[in-house]
Amino acid sequence: MSSCLFCKILAGEISATRVYEDERLIAFNDINPQAPMHVLVVPKQHIATLNDLAGDDDDLVGAMVRAAAKIARDRGHDGPGYRTVFNCNAQAGQTVFHIHLHVLGGRVMTWPPG
Ligand code: 5GP
Ligand code: ZN
């Protein structure tokens, strides 16, 4: 989708620091990190929100979560803990309408989130 920021990152039109890639996903550092590790796991397929997922996407979403766990483990955050977040639509704070899984670690997290 030509107007989508994350599709532009996927196409290499906007730079990002990639930390993981496979056939279905990329992951890159968030430009405005909210923790010492703040990575976004992004499918190569454009899907606007979680509301747009279909049954065929179950494997893709599973792969996103497994990639998040690998990224956290590779950085030593598996033991202390880390947080994963999908924001869906405006009230939850979604600003980029191409699904992405936030992976945050390296500091104590509070609950409930803001
Ligand atoms: P959302 O608010 O949609 O859940 O998350 C979007 C995330 O994308 C935000 O954390 C924001 O900092 C990040 N972001 C926005 N623009 C860019 C960009 O150009 N590059 C990178 N790497 N991250 C971005
Ligand atoms: Zn997109």
Side-chain angles (χ1 to χ4, degrees):
M1 203 187 148
S2 58
S3 63
C4 169
L5 177 66
F6 287 172
C7 284
K8 287 181 179 168
I9 288 176
L10 279 157
E13 294 167 17
I14 293 175
S15 66
T17 304
R18 296 187 184 207
V19 299
Y20 176 83
E21 180 163 10
D22 64 28
E23 62 281 359
R24 291 184 289 188
L25 308 172
I26 63 166
F28 49 83
N29 289 331
D30 197 292
I31 202 168
N32 183 23
Q34 301 302 309
M37 173 184 70
H38 188 172
V39 169
L40 303 173
V41 179
V42 177
K44 292 183 176 178
Q45 178 187 352
H46 180 89
I47 300 169
T49 79
L50 291 190
N51 295 332
D52 301 301
L53 288 169
D56 284 353
D57 300 318
D58 288 359
D59 280 358
L60 177 65
V61 175
M64 291 175 73
V65 175
R66 295 247 305 143
K70 174 179 167 40
I71 290 161
R73 184 169 60 247
D74 287 350
R75 287 159 179 71
H77 297 302
D78 52 338
Y82 58 95
R83 181 167 291 173
T84 55
V85 177
F86 279 109
N87 293 322
C88 181
N89 273 340
Q91 190 161 281
Q94 186 175 6
T95 58
V96 178
F97 287 85
H98 178 138
I99 63 167
H100 49 281
L101 181 56
H102 295 259
V103 193
L104 301 120
R107 66 168 172 84
V108 174
M109 307 281 166
T110 58
W111 193 263

